[in-house]
């Protein structure tokens, strides 16, 4: 009887552990991607680099909306910045409905190997935003492309980076679903 109890306890413990791991997987993966730049995830920086190179790179801005009555667009389709220079881009979001919207924006960059080098100083991403009925709001992103891009053998030939944002619905401060909208 003791052996059966031990096996039942081990099975129950495994189920509890696996359930906890499933709930922790999404935030841990998001944290891992933000820290490493894995899978085209933009990294957060505390300060801009001290070095600005003479070479430039074209930054393109892509905007998407998933299941929301809103218009989301970049004020500029692209910007050319020097590597290491701080850039600033603005995005306009208009709620076209007659009710307030709670939404979040997720992002990624392509080509994916540039993820560790495209770093943001200020961003509206992943914070829940409330856009009132008929309201238009402006959201900034302040960013730079780290000078290390120029010396990375894989990324050295990069001439442009596309930053893609997707606004998606959120409820009670949590995104709907478990999949990061910035990933395919």
């Amino acid at each position: 009887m003791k052996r059966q109890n031990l096996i039942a306890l081990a099975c129950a413990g495994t189920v509890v552990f696996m359930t906890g791991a499933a709930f922790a997987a999404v935030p841990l993966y998001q944290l891992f991607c933000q820290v490493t730049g894995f899978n085209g995830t933009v990294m957060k920086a505390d300060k801009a680099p001290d070095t600005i190179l003479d070479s430039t790179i074209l930054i393109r801005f892509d905007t998407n909306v998933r299941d929301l009555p809103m218009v989301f667009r970049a004020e500029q389709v692209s910007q050319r910045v020097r590597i290491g220079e701080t850039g600033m881009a603005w995005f306009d979001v208009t709620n076209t409905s007659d009710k307030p919207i709670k939404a979040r924006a997720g992002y990624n960059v392509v080509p994916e190997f540039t993820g560790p080098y495209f770093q943001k100083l200020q961003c509206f991403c992943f914070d829940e935003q409330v856009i009132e009925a008929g309201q238009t709001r402006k959201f900034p992103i302040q960013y730079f492309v780290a000078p290390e891009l120029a010396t990375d053998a894989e990324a050295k030939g990069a001439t442009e980076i596309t930053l893609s944002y997707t606004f998606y619905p959120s409820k009670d401060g949590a995104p709907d679903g478990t999949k990061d909208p910035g990933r395919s």
Side-chain angles (χ1 to χ4, degrees), residues 28-132:
L28 288 175
Y29 178 74
Q30 180 180 345
L31 178 64
F32 170 77
C33 289
Q34 288 176 338
V35 168
T36 64
F38 179 75
N39 203 20
T41 301
V42 178
M43 296 173 56
K44 174 114 172 86
D46 294 325
K47 67 178 196 117
D50 296 327
T51 305
I52 298 175
L53 305 179
D54 287 333
S55 56
T56 63
I57 192 158
L58 183 67
I59 309 299
R60 295 186 184 279
F61 303 106
D62 174 54
T63 57
N64 304 282
V65 176
R66 186 182 82 195
D67 302 327
L68 289 169
M70 66 175 9
V71 176
F72 177 37
R73 70 173 190 82
E75 289 187 358
Q76 290 180 274
V77 176
S78 63
Q79 293 178 346
R80 183 164 295 281
V81 295
R82 294 187 324 176
I83 295 176
E85 174 183 35
T86 300
M88 178 75 103
W90 289 88
F91 296 84
D92 297 330
V93 177
T94 301
N95 177 349
T96 59
S97 76
D98 59 355
K99 296 179 178 144
I101 294 174
K102 286 184 180 180
R104 293 178 188 259
Y107 61 87
N108 69 349
V109 297
V110 287
E112 290 179 359
F113 61 79
T114 61
Y117 305 107
F118 190 96
Q119 298 187 18
K120 58 187 172 59
L121 295 165
Q122 176 186 359
C123 182
F124 56 92
C125 35
F126 296 118
D127 293 333
E128 183 174 73
Q129 307 294 337
V130 177
I131 301 117
E132 298 298 328

Side-chain angles (χ1 to χ4, degrees), residues 1-14:
M1 188 69 166
K2 285 185 178 185
R3 181 173 165 85
Q4 290 173 339
N5 288 343
L6 186 60
I7 290 172
L9 187 59
C11 288
T14 300

Side-chain angles (χ1 to χ4, degrees), residues 36 49 105 109 134 138 164 178:
T36 64
V109 297
K138 292 183 179 298
S164 181
T178 58

